[in-house]
Amino acid sequence: MSDYKFPELPSDDELGITDDDREQFAKDFPDDGQEMSDAELASLLGESPAAKPAPAAKSAPAVPTPPKNSPEPKGKSDETKVRAKAAKEVRKAEKKRTKDEAKAAKEAARQAKVEGKERAKQEKAAARQKASETEATVPAWRGPATLVILFLVAVFSSSRTGIPGPVPANAPDTAFSSARAMATLVELAREAHPTGSPEHARVRQLVVDRLADLGIESEIQTTTSVLSNPRVRVPDGVAQLSDFVRSATVRNIVARIPGTASTGTVLITAHYDSREIAVGAADDGAGVVAIIEAVRAIRAGEPLRNDLIILFTDAEELGLLGARAFVDQHRWMADVDLALSFEMRGAGGPSIMFETNELNGWVVDALADFDPAPFTTSLAYEVYKRMPNGTDFTPFREAGVQGMNFAAIDNAHVYHQAFDTPDNLSESTLQHHGLHALSALQYFGGADLSEVSAPNQVYFSVPGVGLITYPQVGVHLLSALLVGLFAVFVVVAGRGGARPVGALAGLGVAVFVGGAGFGMATTLLDRVSERHAELGALHGSLFHSEGWYVLAVTLGILAVMTAVVAVGRRWLSRDEVMLGVLVLPIVAAVGLGVAAPLGAMHLQLPALAAVTAALIASLLGTRATGMLGWLATLLLALPVMLILVPIVELVWMALTLRLFGALAVLIVVGVLLCLPALDALRAPNLWWAPAGMGALAALSLGAGVAISGSSD
């Protein structure tokens, strides 16, 4: 054994190491048998990595330096190894601790993200639950009150709202009197008077005599009018291209009243022939007597500034032959600046201004100025110009003459029938027809007719409001506004917890209700048709009475919609349902703005109202079921009803129940756009509205079937 003695090492006290330092060292570097480097050991002892241990206060005995190349003392070698091993272990421990800390931090971040998502999900679920609990506290009266209010608005929105009442025969001479016009009509429409018949000659003479009584001398334009390969209206009411030549000797009644300082000429026209067995009181005796009574009122007042041509055409029922003869052959045609045509395709309802020519801006502004009871929509022009049908206004429009075309289309079951008699004509409709004629003549008779065309205007009348017009460019601005407002709603609803999958389910609700409405309408039509003996014999409608069936399908759609929403709202929020159901109407409104801009407003404006209502409800959150939210959504349902209800009626009367499925889809669109307000029908419970609507639909269907039998 070597006699070499290890130097005396300084104690912990001498090195300044306390008990706390030793405990901390034991925690940080447990004794696991690994080595520690000199640097780590020095760092632990508070020394500089390159510094040597400071000498102790009491110097140790000098240790002789071993000779160069002599073996290192064994004690020193063991001490170095211990220090190296300790330093190595410190490095390993530090490296491991760094990795563990990074891993722990990453895991903590991941866990925080998961917990955040779960917390957000729970908060959204809690919000939906809170909303459901809030909705459960909605007053029980609110659902029935909402239904009653919307029903009253629908009645007010009807196309019959605003039709003037009949005016008696003792009215002032300068006023239009339906009673005076009806007295003339009774004499005119005694029997059917088709072109070339003896009764037709009698009616012609009666009209000439009435003009003579007013001091107006008339002439008869007698000529042969030929139409080759005409598009004619065949008995089922559908126009088609024919392969034959049609001609007739026509006898138009023409008269002219010179103006006092004419700037142009106004022409007013109606046809005095009837179709085959049709008595022709409405079509077009109503137009003839309306013009005669209007001219009588004009003659009783101040004379007109502009020239007035009165034209009662012949052979309209044979293919507009009389009007074509005037346009092609009469010497006064070159003078015509503006044409006013009065037609009938029914025996009731409003007198509708349904057609203009292109560049209608000037005449539409004029209509807004002179018409005391307007009922019109540029949608009618968009639809009519795509149809093969024609009236006496058609040849003038094709010749580039600006003007207006008026007609009534309600009670269309009398159209071209033997029961188109004065007794079956609404006198209110005749009064409305005549007011249009008189007001138009007074306005255009005194206007400057040197320029009667201007860029197209969008126009439509709203019950209780009047005529609304704006430039066609406004259609595209409305489309942009609609899309932008819906985008805002998407953002607000998303922040409120609406899920994409929920919105997709809402879209499914809209598609399902639309399909159900289409299916109900087509199935009902198929089942009840066999009960109607008149099917196929009428020209203006499918059945004598169709209103009960339309009401039944409307109520059925409401029943389906409220039932589906009641079920869906167990899993879907109000915002999610509204996001889904609004997509298709918005797409349709924007598309219509491109394809038929003069008719797009009937979807654009209701859709804007619906999106606004949905956005307000979303911003209010749980307060949407309060009084403020209820009133806001109810008020915004009013423009939907006021704009869409009369259009639904007009589409029904114009296209008849032959297109019942398409009509049902339009009704579905109106119902869905009222959904923000109809959401209140969930009170007092989820099922009273579906059950009540279903029962009323069954009663309406029963009423329609009950009156479908033949009468004596």
Side-chain angles (χ1 to χ4, degrees), residues 346-554:
S351 174
I352 308 164
M353 199 289 285
F354 69 97
E355 186 180 17
T356 64
N357 209 338
E358 288 296 321
L359 299 176
N360 63 31
W362 188 86
V363 295
V364 168
D365 287 340
L367 181 69
D369 289 339
F370 75 73
D371 199 331
F375 193 96
T376 185
T377 169
S378 48
L379 173 64
Y381 174 58
E382 285 281 16
V383 173
Y384 197 78
K385 72 181 182 180
R386 289 168 168 79
M387 297 175 66
N389 305 57
T391 68
D392 276 345
F393 183 71
T394 303
F396 292 94
R397 177 174 56 79
E398 292 173 345
V401 176
Q402 193 55 262
M404 299 182 183
N405 201 359
F406 296 84
I409 61 175
D410 202 356
N411 295 338
H413 61 280
V414 309
Y415 180 58
H416 288 173
Q417 302 299 313
F419 39 86
D420 180 11
T421 62
D423 290 340
N424 289 328
L425 173 66
S426 166
E427 192 171 329
S428 292
T429 299
L430 180 58
Q431 178 67 30
H432 201 198
H433 224 30
L435 280 179
H436 284 147
L438 177 59
S439 300
L441 288 180
Q442 289 173 332
Y443 184 89
F444 293 124
D448 183 357
L449 301 181
S450 58
E451 181 54 64
V452 296
S453 294
N456 278 338
Q457 293 264 61
V458 176
Y459 57 91
F460 61 100
S461 54
V462 177
V465 177
L467 190 63
I468 297 175
T469 68
Y470 53 85
Q472 186 171 328
V473 67
V475 174
H476 306 299
L477 297 178
L478 283 176
S479 290
L481 177 61
L482 179 58
V483 172
L485 193 62
F486 183 70
V488 173
F489 175 45
V490 170
V491 173
V492 172
R495 291 179 177 175
R499 303 159 297 169
V501 67
L504 186 62
L507 176 61
V509 168
V511 173
F512 179 84
V513 176
F518 182 87
M520 278 190 290
T522 54
T523 301
L524 183 151
L525 185 61
D526 182 62
R527 296 296 177 86
V528 303
S529 291
E530 61 186 21
R531 299 186 59 87
H532 289 267
E534 73 275 22
L535 180 65
L538 303 179
H539 298 167
S541 64
L542 200 61
F543 308 136
H544 283 132
S545 179
E546 300 175 339
W548 287 111
Y549 298 141
V550 175
L551 181 60
V553 168
T554 302

Side-chain angles (χ1 to χ4, degrees), residues 44 140 180 182 264 341 378 451 608 651 656 678:
L44 177 63
R180 289 192 286 250
M182 187 63 78
S341 176
S378 48
E451 181 54 64
L608 272 172
V651 170
T656 78
L678 292 174

Side-chain angles (χ1 to χ4, degrees), residues 150 153 157 602-603 605-611 613 633-646 648 669-676:
L150 292 179
V153 173
S157 304
H602 289 296
L603 274 184
L605 296 176
L608 272 172
V611 173
T633 55
L634 194 58
L635 287 173
L636 285 166
L638 300 187
V640 178
M641 304 287 286
L642 289 170
I643 294 173
L644 279 182
V645 168
V648 168
V669 171
V671 170
L672 293 177
L673 290 177
C674 288
L675 192 54

Side-chain angles (χ1 to χ4, degrees), residues 305-328:
R305 172 189 181 186
N306 297 316
D307 287 4
L308 172 62
I309 295 175
I310 304 166
L311 171 64
F312 296 112
T313 62
D314 190 7
E316 189 271 352
E317 300 291 357
L318 298 180
L320 319 179
L321 296 181
R324 295 186 188 279
F326 181 89
V327 170
D328 294 340

